[in-house]
Amino acid sequence: MSYLMIYRTGVALALLLTAHVGLAQSLPAEQLSTELLPIKSSPSHLLSELAVRATLKRASVPACPKENARELSLSLIEGQVQGRLRELSLDLTCSHSRLNNEAEPANNDALSLLLTLPAIDFKIDNLTLQLAEGRVSGPAELHHQQQQLSVIWQTEAGSVQLNITPDRQGWRWQGQLPGHLLTPNLRQPVRLSGGWQPEQPLTVKVAGALPTPLSGNWQLALAAKQAANGWQLQPNSQLSIPRLTWKELTLNQITVTPQGELALDKPWQARVNWQQGNWKKGRLPAASLQLQGDSLTHLQGKVRADLSHDLQLTGSWRYDQGLALTVPRQSVSAASTWAWLNDWLLLPVGLSTEAGQLRVSLSAANLLNTKVPILMNAELNQGQLKYRDMLAEELAAKVKLSWRSPQGLRSHGPQAVSAARLNVGVPITDIHGALRWQADGLWLSGLTAQVFDGHIALSPMALNAKPSGEAHFSDIALEKLLSYANVDGLTGSGSLKGRLPFVYDQGLSVKNGRAESQDGWISYQAGEQLAATGKANISLGLTLGLLSDLRYDKLSADISMARTGEAVINSHLQGRAPVKGKLHPVNFNYHHQENLLQLLASLRFAQDLTERLPASLQGESE
């Protein structure tokens, strides 16, 4: 055997014995033994067949009661020192002070088993990591790289790689672990880093991808201190999500921060903020949530959504195999809700809710499962909807919606809407309709109302920023319509029907409207001045005579109105009129132009003035 072989064999034996003796001196041990196995081959194969084993049945550290090692063995086989552990339990909240030839630790310093082990590689049948709450275990490999320890750990959730570096009297660590190890909803690996020093907060940073059906990245920065009653999360901890996307919803700059120190087993509060976002094509305003929980180990509690300074909703949440949310039925201001919706939905310009209470509720068994529906209910009572000085009064509505993927938001059950009256200057009453939410948004259908003893029915229309449709009218009493026409001496009788195609785009406009009537009469009694002019003008006099008692067989009118209110009405009448005591056929065309919005406004003003004047003044004619 050469001198080189003898030297290498001696070094290997020395390493093994040094590790063995060091372990025996530093750990409370049971049944420590060393065995030199016989060599049966020739001297030339001494190094390759030399086998030495040292075993330790159990080792523990008094200062770290959660740490222990069982059935440790060190072997020198073929010149390589190998370590094996049946079981190793580690507690990373214990420190080790004797690093880099430092002085002996103080009495309150812990002595971690991890650094007391010999600086060789180990295969571990079962590695248990003691956490602040709970534990995780599985087979592992422990590798030494100078002062750094690398753990490759197999758990039920997948492989964990953790690099641990002693740092003064504490630790620093970084690595990667399966997200499923933290929660079943995290399917992607997460990155982990952190550190701990005695008398200092334990810091942990975890980052990864959001669980489906959410998309985006998240980072959790935790700082925790150990107090007399256990671990407490510090106020500077934070969960941050730069951008969260969920179907057609996007929220930006989400942060979750604790309100004060949080104990793991005590009630806690946290605040969730986001800086604007988007729902479909609309812009969501910034808002916040106030979360309360029973404890950090039992994820359930209460939630309050601060949607605006005067609009809040409260509910409860629970995280157990999914995220459940319940908002019990509660009343909120209809005006505040409309103002909040108007900040991000494409609502008709100029419309506003003036009064009323809205009762809302929501139920979601699991927000993270798109196949589980989210149910929403809203009911409006005693509402008022206003456009300029036009007012819909005693407005009531019921909306039931459900959301699930891929269908999106849909109506669920009957959706009734009604109003007692609409004050536009003429009496529109008994308004009834139905709402439905489909793929392209909210729709109004089946709307009917009464006006001038007749009926109006609206075609189905989308309630978006520019609603459009057709108003069909029938059985309209011509006598009552003319009474509001503001033309002195004009009366008539008959029944009108027709349609008014309209568009609402920063104002109501009508194009290609049409009205018709059969078998009625028109009478125009001219004033003194116009009658006197007619006596001098044969043509005017003849026309006034025909209009004094025109019995029409057919009346038709083409109607249009700009969004400014400027209206043009071209009328054509076919019928008979008395001339010198006999009825003669008459074809009469009439062109009329007037601002109907101004006319309606003046009618509303006159009506409001009449309602406000004392009864004694209303009866006075002069």
Side-chain angles (χ1 to χ4, degrees):
M1 181 169 58
S2 66
Y3 289 107
L4 179 59
M5 293 174 62
I6 295 173
Y7 173 74
R8 294 174 63 184
T9 303
V11 169
L13 283 168
L15 286 172
L16 179 61
L17 292 174
T18 300
H20 185 206
V21 172
L23 187 63
Q25 289 178 347
S26 60
L27 292 175
E30 300 175 2
Q31 299 181 10
L32 182 66
S33 63
T34 305
E35 179 183 6
L36 180 63
L37 301 182
I39 301 173
K40 299 180 180 180
S41 57
S42 62
S44 62
H45 297 89
L46 176 63
L47 182 62
S48 62
E49 296 191 15
L50 182 62
V52 180
R53 290 190 179 94
T55 61
L56 181 65
K57 185 175 181 181
R58 184 178 183 277
S60 61
V61 178
C64 296
K66 293 183 180 181
E67 296 199 345
N68 62 79
R70 297 180 184 275
E71 298 187 28
L72 178 148
S73 65
L74 301 176
S75 302
L76 175 63
I77 301 176
E78 298 182 355
Q80 299 292 328
V81 179
Q82 299 178 5
R84 190 174 188 88
L85 274 167
R86 176 77 62 173
E87 183 176 333
L88 177 63
S89 179
L90 297 177
D91 184 358
L92 294 186
T93 61
C94 278
S95 67
H96 188 286
S97 302
R98 291 180 294 180
L99 299 174
N100 301 324
N101 298 320
E102 292 181 7
E104 289 291 321
N107 292 333
N108 61 349
D109 287 328
L111 180 64
S112 174
L113 180 60
L114 188 61
L115 284 185
T116 306
L117 290 173
I120 60 176
D121 294 347
F122 279 89
K123 289 187 176 181
I124 307 168
D125 294 343
N126 187 62
L127 171 64
T128 299
L129 184 62
Q130 303 287 349
L131 305 174
E133 291 289 335
R135 64 177 67 187
V136 186
S137 60
E141 296 180 7
L142 178 63
H143 299 282
H144 288 264
Q145 298 176 356
Q146 297 179 350
Q147 281 291 315
Q148 179 175 291
L149 298 150
S150 178
V151 178
I152 302 175
W153 185 18
Q154 303 301 325
T155 70
E156 294 181 357
S159 178
V160 176
Q161 183 168 355
L162 191 63
N163 297 321
I164 306 170
T165 304
D167 182 16
R168 292 167 291 176
Q169 296 181 1
W171 307 93
R172 288 184 290 108
W173 58 80
Q174 63 178 1
Q176 180 173 292
L177 67 155
H180 194 67
L181 193 64
L182 301 178
T183 171
N185 293 294
L186 290 176
R187 303 297 181 181
Q188 301 295 324
V190 298
R191 301 179 302 278
L192 175 71
S193 64
W196 179 79
Q197 292 290 329
E199 309 300 330
Q200 297 296 321
L202 171 72
T203 60
V204 179
K205 289 185 178 180
V206 189
L210 291 169
T212 55
L214 307 177
S215 62
N217 297 317
W218 59 275
Q219 179 173 307
L220 178 64
L222 299 177
K225 293 183 69 174
Q226 193 169 22
N229 57 348
W231 286 92
Q232 291 185 335
L233 202 62
Q234 300 301 292
N236 59 336
S237 301
Q238 185 178 85
L239 170 65
S240 59
I241 303 172
R243 185 182 180 88
L244 179 149
T245 301
W246 180 60
K247 296 299 178 181
E248 296 174 292
L249 171 67
T250 300
L251 295 178
N252 298 318
Q253 301 300 322
I254 302 175
T255 58
V256 184
T257 54
Q259 305 294 290
E261 293 185 346
L262 306 183
L264 294 178
D265 58 346
K266 301 293 183 182
W268 56 271
Q269 293 185 0
R271 194 156 190 88
V272 183
N273 296 287
W274 63 83
Q275 297 299 318
Q276 296 186 349
N278 296 93
W279 170 259
K280 294 186 177 181
K281 297 181 180 180
R283 181 184 61 86
L284 274 176
S288 64
L289 299 176
Q290 184 74 33
L291 292 175
Q292 297 180 9
D294 297 341
S295 71
L296 292 177
T297 55
H298 296 85
L299 298 180
Q300 62 181 19
K302 298 179 179 179
V303 59
R304 187 188 75 206
D306 296 321
L307 302 177
S308 66
H309 71 280
D310 55 356
L311 180 60
Q312 290 84 34
L313 290 174
T314 60
S316 60
W317 65 276
R318 185 183 73 258
Y319 184 83
D320 182 13
Q321 304 299 322
L323 180 58
L325 176 64
T326 301
V327 177
R329 194 176 183 186
Q330 56 201 272
S331 293
V332 295
S333 166
S336 299
T337 304
W338 182 276
W340 177 71
L341 291 173
N342 201 38
D343 280 342
W344 57 280
L345 287 181
L346 298 176
L347 298 178
V349 177
L351 284 176
S352 63
T353 300
E354 296 295 300
Q357 287 294 308
L358 192 65
R359 296 181 65 84
V360 297
S361 64
L362 182 146
S363 176
N366 186 1
L367 289 172
L368 301 179
N369 187 344
T370 57
K371 296 181 180 180
V372 178
I374 302 172
L375 303 178
M376 292 162 279
N377 293 276
E379 180 178 347
L380 174 64
N381 290 305
Q382 297 298 316
Q384 290 184 351
L385 188 64
K386 186 177 183 181
Y387 172 66
R388 295 184 177 176
D389 58 346
M390 304 179 194
L391 192 64
E393 299 178 281
E394 296 184 32
L395 187 64
K398 290 184 178 180
V399 178
K400 295 183 179 181
L401 304 174
S402 65
W403 188 98
R404 73 172 74 195
S405 181
Q407 293 88 355
L409 201 60
R410 293 291 188 274
S411 298
H412 183 76
Q415 321 279 310
V417 60
S418 65
R421 54 192 167 272
L422 175 61
N423 182 14
V424 298
V426 296
I428 301 177
T429 60
D430 298 328
I431 304 168
H432 296 275
L435 297 169
R436 73 178 189 275
W437 199 300
Q438 54 191 44
D440 53 351
L442 184 62
W443 280 71
L444 176 66
S445 60
L447 186 71
T448 61
Q450 292 186 0
V451 58
F452 298 136
D453 294 339
H455 305 278
I456 296 178
L458 261 61
S459 64
M461 65 178 184
L463 296 180
N464 51 33
K466 298 178 181 180
S468 61
E470 279 192 358
H472 297 264
F473 54 91
S474 61
D475 300 325
I476 301 298
L478 182 60
E479 180 180 4
K480 289 194 173 183
L481 175 63
L482 293 178
S483 69
Y484 282 84
N486 203 28
V487 179
D488 292 337
L490 181 62
T491 58
S493 177
S495 178
L496 290 172
K497 65 177 181 179
R499 60 182 181 84
L500 296 173
F502 64 88
V503 176
Y504 185 96
D505 182 7
Q506 297 182 348
L508 185 68
S509 62
V510 176
K511 186 177 181 181
N512 298 325
R514 182 79 174 174
E516 295 177 350
S517 178
Q518 292 180 344
D519 301 328
W521 62 270
I522 292 288
S523 175
Y524 177 66
Q525 304 298 324
E528 293 182 2
Q529 184 177 358
L530 185 59
T533 304
K535 291 179 179 180
N537 187 317
I538 298 176
S539 176
L540 177 60
L542 180 61
T543 301
L544 293 176
L546 293 174
L547 289 178
S548 64
D549 186 11
L550 194 159
R551 302 175 187 183
Y552 65 84
D553 299 319
K554 182 178 180 180
L555 181 154
S556 62
D558 296 324
I559 306 168
S560 64
M561 185 181 76
R563 65 185 182 186
T564 59
E566 198 66 32
V568 175
I569 302 174
N570 292 311
S571 302
H572 177 70
L573 294 93
Q574 292 179 348
R576 295 162 297 160
V579 178
K580 296 182 178 181
K582 294 183 179 181
L583 293 177
H584 292 269
V586 173
N587 285 304
F588 182 77
N589 295 315
Y590 176 66
H591 175 85
H592 182 77
Q593 187 168 346
E594 187 174 3
N595 192 302
L596 291 183
L597 293 182
Q598 293 178 359
L599 172 61
L600 292 174
S602 65
L603 292 175
R604 292 192 301 272
F605 175 77
Q607 180 180 348
D608 291 343
L609 186 62
T610 302
E611 291 175 352
R612 294 175 184 177
L613 284 176
S616 59
L617 293 180
Q618 293 182 27
E620 296 178 2
S621 59
E622 295 181 359

